[in-house]
Amino acid sequence: MSEEHYLELCDNPVQFENASSVNNVFFDEANKQVFAVRSGGATGVVVKGPDDKSSVAFRMDDKGEVKCIKFSFGNKILAVQRTSKSVEFINFIPDLLHLEYSQECKTKNASILGFCWTSWNEIVFITDQGIEFYQVLPDKRSLKLQKSQSINVNWYMYCPVTSVILLSTTVQGNVLQPFFFKNGTMSKMSKFEIELPIVPKPAKLSLSERDIAMATIYGQLYVRYLKHHSRTLNNPGAEVILYHLPRDGTCKKMHVLKLNTTGKFALNVVDNLVVVHHQSSQTSMIFDIKLRDTEGTLNVHQPVLPARSIHPYKIPLTGPAAVTTPTPVPCELYSSTWSVFQPDIIISASEGYLWYLQVKLQPVVNLMKDKGKLIDFLLQRRDCKMVIVSVCFQLLNGSDKGNLSVIATVFDKLNQVYKEYLEAEQSYTVAVETGQSRGNPAQKRPVRTQAVIDQSDMYTHVLSVFTEKKDVSHKFIIAVLMEYIRSLNQFQITVQHYLYELVLKTLVHHNLFYMLHQFLQYHVLSDSKPLACLLLSLESTYPPAHQLSLDMLKRLSMANDEIVEVLLSKQQVLGALRFIRGVGGHDNISARKFLDAARQTREEMLFYTIFRFFEQRNQRLRGSPHFTPGEHCEEHVAYFKHIFGGEALMKLTAS
């Protein structure tokens, strides 16, 4: 079987000068920018970002080797670290001078490990003795210390999405102290300890920076710890431990991802999936923490799918080489020169490329045999709608056809998400109508994600196509339709009339009139005006349908004149006349309304019948077959004469 790759590198990577032509390459996770720095006389810097707006090139005075370089948000202020004592700044704001200014760390004898921008004009220095939080004043070309905290620091990590800085403390480095930054404030969060593997004495382990990463998964911040074990019979391999780090409260060990192998690993997060790359086997595996394998406070997870390599990628050649060898060169996947950044970035400094890692959902369909679990997986993904629709279609067709219990499970999973969205939408509507949303700015309109598969989606892409299949038994078709309706009813979702119409048409197509009668009699198909009208149209095929339709319209508590309007709108003119005669209202109805409707059918004999009925009514009520001026039927009398001749008009008879 051909290998199915469910991971791929994006088609439009960020390209920058490769490491062979520059002195240093830096990556800023906050702005997703690559800095290619070339020294010699003046320092040339080329910045490439995800779009043209974030890309820029400039020169600086060469004052020594650049250790770290980052823009604040919006490319407003550049910060450059060349020494362990200070950071230099250059304004890139229009109308402000591009002169450099610098800030030394306040703590005596401290060394700056690095810095992080937390807003366009707020920056944090991380030193080996603590952190210093500054406000940058670009117009004054100076910095103002907002707050500082003394603590011994081994290394640090920053999550720009949540503005949390993590500091490694203590000798073993496994006590982590997080800080949160927002609107000019710095808050100390609860510290926590990472459990290190047990090793024989006197050896001691320390926590390495490369084994820790922070990422937001399903809207929650997690600290990921890559825990290596010596491979023994009792220990099958490395694990990734996820510690949940809430804004308030203590950090807890929540998930264990079993890698079942050892070696060098790198981690990404793509579409809320934890992706673990394994260098020696050149494969990747994915984990979904929403799919729980065990119940309890600690969830142990196995890979969702078999390990597969990233889809092969070819690098197009540029320059003179492109002329001699025009074919693209295969990229070396899982190269030792690759650097992985959070959440979903892979950089090859040697080739000068930055890629975003992506998940391909279609290959997952064939790799995950449990369809219930597959739907659970797909419902959590960003671009899932058409893949879910294709899974539903496969379940109903062909060799992959599922049994009714599996189909029912899938319908229930889809409709649960559908119902949750409808309830959220309804709550928002009520809040807007009652004015609650004005007092509660947090009340936002619910976002309709691709996971919401509504009745229209199912009807258009799955059920209406499925009912047209010639090679599927009608019993199975009807069972599937009724199963979907059952699921909607179970979640108290109002079934749209077009689904009932689809059932009705399917029953009629297969001449299952007895079943149709039962479905209507026992209200399996809910009453609705469109369904009643459809029944009316079936009268020629199935005569009892006329009475079934009228009974339904009456159950809908429609007034007699409303029922007449419905029948006339469907060009059921004789049916409308029969109905109104049946309820004794035919002496008061408008002749013109019925004659208008009869004319619109373009059936001359139908018009003749209706015209003659009203002539007879006029004769009975007034002693004359002629229409009075107030009835405004002159146009119809002229039409009758034109078609049938004046002699066809009823003659006045003596009473």
Side-chain angles (χ1 to χ4, degrees):
M1 190 185 78
S2 62
E3 190 174 28
E4 292 171 301
H5 308 275
Y6 48 77
L7 291 168
E8 65 180 355
L9 303 175
C10 66
D11 289 332
N12 52 339
V14 176
Q15 195 170 359
F16 56 92
E17 292 185 81
N18 62 38
S20 62
S21 59
V22 295
N23 298 82
N24 270 309
V25 175
F26 300 93
F27 179 65
D28 174 16
E29 288 187 59
N31 292 314
K32 294 182 169 52
Q33 291 173 316
V34 179
F35 289 76
V37 180
R38 183 189 284 111
S39 301
T43 301
V45 182
V46 177
V47 185
K48 290 293 186 78
D51 52 50
D52 292 337
K53 289 180 183 177
S54 55
S55 301
V56 65
F58 55 89
R59 289 185 174 276
M60 306 182 297
D61 292 338
D62 194 347
K63 298 181 179 179
E65 183 189 352
V66 174
K67 295 179 180 292
C68 186
I69 181 168
K70 296 175 188 176
F71 269 117
S72 70
F73 303 141
N75 288 7
K76 287 184 166 58
I77 306 168
L78 180 73
V80 185
Q81 182 190 351
R82 290 188 174 94
T83 73
S84 62
K85 298 299 178 185
S86 67
V87 176
E88 293 158 2
F89 298 87
I90 305 173
N91 294 331
F92 276 72
I93 303 169
D95 303 326
L96 288 182
L97 293 173
H98 284 226
L99 297 175
E100 289 190 16
Y101 50 103
S102 69
Q103 176 67 50
E104 289 191 358
C105 62
K106 297 287 187 184
T107 310
K108 194 177 180 181
N109 298 325
S111 294
I112 299 174
L113 301 176
F115 60 86
C116 303
W117 287 102
T118 58
S119 80
W120 78 268
N121 68 338
E122 290 171 344
I123 193 167
V124 182
F125 290 3
I126 300 96
T127 75
D128 57 358
Q129 295 182 34
I131 56 175
E132 300 172 4
F133 183 37
Y134 292 95
Q135 181 185 13
V136 183
L137 307 170
D139 50 338
K140 297 180 179 178
R141 298 205 304 278
S142 64
L143 279 74
K144 178 184 175 185
L145 183 65
Q146 304 278 79
K147 198 171 182 180
S148 62
Q149 176 83 41
S150 294
I151 183 171
N152 288 328
V153 180
N154 302 306
W155 47 262
Y156 74 97
M157 195 156 286
Y158 179 51
C159 177
V161 176
T162 55
S163 291
V164 171
I165 291 178
L166 201 61
L167 306 180
S168 162
T169 69
T170 69
V171 175
Q172 286 185 283
N174 63 325
V175 176
L176 302 181
Q177 175 63 66
F179 289 87
F180 170 62
F181 298 84
K182 187 178 182 182
N183 299 332
T185 63
M186 179 177 95
S187 308
K188 189 176 183 180
M189 300 164 68
S190 299
K191 68 180 178 182
F192 61 99
E193 185 175 340
I194 298 286
E195 297 174 20
L196 297 174
I198 299 170
V199 293
K201 292 181 180 180
K204 279 191 176 181
L205 280 178
S206 60
L207 185 63
S208 168
E209 180 181 0
R210 65 175 176 269
D211 291 334
I212 292 288
M214 282 193 290
T216 303
I217 308 171
Y218 292 116
Q220 301 295 316
L221 179 60
Y222 288 91
V223 175
R224 294 170 298 159
Y225 168 44
L226 178 56
K227 188 175 186 179
H228 297 275
H229 295 284
S230 54
R231 186 150 193 174
T232 63
L233 288 173
N234 299 329
N235 202 336
E239 301 170 333
V240 175
I241 317 291
L242 298 187
Y243 291 83
H244 178 225
L245 184 56
R247 186 73 46 81
D248 303 305
T250 55
C251 184
K252 291 182 180 175
K253 180 178 174 181
M254 294 286 288
H255 301 273
V256 177
L257 316 182
K258 294 285 190 180
L259 306 187
N260 304 316
T261 187
T262 57
K264 284 186 177 180
F265 301 95
L267 276 65
N268 280 126
V269 171
V270 183
D271 204 2
N272 290 311
L273 296 167
V274 179
V275 181
V276 182
H277 309 289
H278 186 228
Q279 192 179 25
S280 60
S281 67
Q282 296 197 350
T283 59
S284 303
M285 54 192 108
I286 59 174
F287 295 84
D288 187 349
I289 63 173
K290 276 279 178 83
L291 301 181
R292 297 188 172 188
D293 292 334
T294 56
E295 293 298 325
T297 53
L298 186 63
N299 299 290
V300 179
H301 302 266
Q302 294 292 337
V304 172
L305 299 166
R308 292 284 188 269
S309 68
I310 296 169
H311 193 280
Y313 186 89
K314 291 187 176 180
I315 297 174
L317 291 174
T318 57
V323 178
T324 55
T325 315
T327 54
V329 176
C331 170
E332 185 190 347
L333 301 177
Y334 304 93
S335 165
S336 57
T337 63
W338 275 16
S339 299
V340 172
F341 294 93
Q342 301 311 307
D344 55 355
I345 288 168
I346 294 173
I347 291 179
S348 173
S350 62
E351 292 168 317
Y353 277 93
L354 178 153
W355 294 281
Y356 291 93
L357 188 65
Q358 299 171 337
V359 175
K360 295 197 298 179
L361 296 181
Q362 199 59 53
V364 174
V365 174
N366 298 323
L367 289 170
M368 201 178 286
K369 299 304 177 187
D370 183 334
K371 298 306 175 189
K373 191 174 180 181
L374 172 63
I375 292 295
D376 287 338
F377 176 86
L378 292 174
L379 283 170
Q380 304 298 335
R381 308 286 74 83
R382 203 166 30 236
D383 302 317
C384 63
K385 174 165 282 187
M386 294 318 295
V387 181
I388 290 175
V389 164
S390 74
V391 170
C392 292
F393 197 79
Q394 280 181 25
L395 275 175
L396 305 182
N397 296 274
S399 58
D400 206 22
K401 190 164 71 178
N403 60 39
L404 265 181
S405 64
V406 173
I407 293 165
T409 299
V410 169
F411 286 162
D412 287 347
K413 288 178 184 295
L414 299 182
N415 287 330
Q416 183 170 0
V417 175
Y418 180 23
K419 176 65 172 177
E420 287 167 2
Y421 170 75
L422 291 175
E423 286 179 339
E425 185 72 34
Q426 186 179 19
S427 298
Y428 173 78
T429 303
V430 170
V432 169
E433 289 173 352
T434 57
Q436 293 175 14
S437 60
R438 286 192 293 273
N440 180 17
Q443 180 100 27
K444 293 181 180 178
R445 183 168 201 144
V447 177
R448 179 174 180 143
T449 67
Q450 287 208 16
V452 179
I453 312 290
D454 64 16
Q455 296 174 67
S456 175
D457 296 322
M458 285 297 291
Y459 175 83
T460 305
H461 301 295
V462 182
L463 299 176
S464 62
V465 185
F466 168 60
T467 56
E468 298 294 322
K469 300 286 284 185
K470 306 293 184 189
D471 56 344
V472 182
S473 78
H474 63 265
K475 289 182 180 179
F476 184 64
I477 291 173
I478 292 162
V480 167
L481 293 175
M482 298 315 299
E483 196 58 59
Y484 184 62
I485 289 170
R486 174 214 52 85
S487 179
L488 291 169
N489 287 326
Q490 179 176 314
F491 288 97
Q492 298 178 317
I493 299 170
T494 304
V495 181
Q496 294 298 315
H497 64 83
Y498 48 75
L499 289 173
Y500 288 134
E501 289 174 27
L502 191 60
V503 174
L504 196 147
K505 286 176 179 176
T506 304
L507 291 169
V508 170
H509 179 71
H510 293 285
N511 297 317
L512 298 171
F513 297 113
Y514 174 73
M515 189 179 288
L516 166 62
H517 209 110
Q518 282 197 316
F519 278 6
L520 293 167
Q521 187 177 353
Y522 295 106
H523 307 295
V524 175
L525 304 178
S526 295
D527 295 345
S528 72
K529 192 187 292 185
L531 191 61
C533 294
L534 182 62
L535 279 168
L536 277 173
S537 68
L538 297 173
E539 184 181 3
S540 59
T541 311
Y542 182 55
H546 178 81
Q547 190 57 47
L548 289 169
S549 169
L550 295 183
D551 292 343
M552 183 178 290
L553 290 169
K554 288 174 186 175
R555 287 196 300 271
L556 290 167
S557 301
M558 292 180 70
N560 290 338
D561 57 343
E562 276 189 287
I563 294 175
V564 168
E565 292 290 346
V566 170
L567 294 170
L568 291 178
S569 71
K570 293 294 179 181
Q571 296 192 338
Q572 300 287 326
V573 187
L574 280 175
L577 197 55
R578 275 203 298 271
F579 168 75
I580 203 69
R581 288 186 70 180
V583 296
H586 55 293
D587 286 350
N588 303 314
I589 57 175
S590 162
R592 182 183 174 182
K593 182 182 290 185
F594 275 76
L595 291 169
D596 283 345
R599 279 277 296 274
Q600 287 173 7
T601 65
R602 300 179 185 275
E603 294 180 24
E604 292 176 356
M605 290 315 296
L606 173 66
F607 180 78
Y608 181 92
T609 304
I610 299 299
F611 191 91
R612 184 67 81 208
F613 169 82
F614 284 106
E615 279 187 318
Q616 291 170 348
R617 184 188 74 166
N618 294 343
Q619 176 72 38
R620 179 169 49 82
L621 294 178
R622 296 196 296 269
S624 167
H626 303 315
F627 293 94
T628 63
E631 290 180 283
H632 304 292
C633 291
E634 295 83 2
E635 178 191 345
H636 295 301
V637 172
Y639 177 75
F640 186 90
K641 287 180 181 178
H642 173 71
I643 298 297
F644 303 106
E647 64 277 5
L649 291 169
M650 263 184 75
K651 303 295 185 287
L652 184 66
T653 56
S655 52

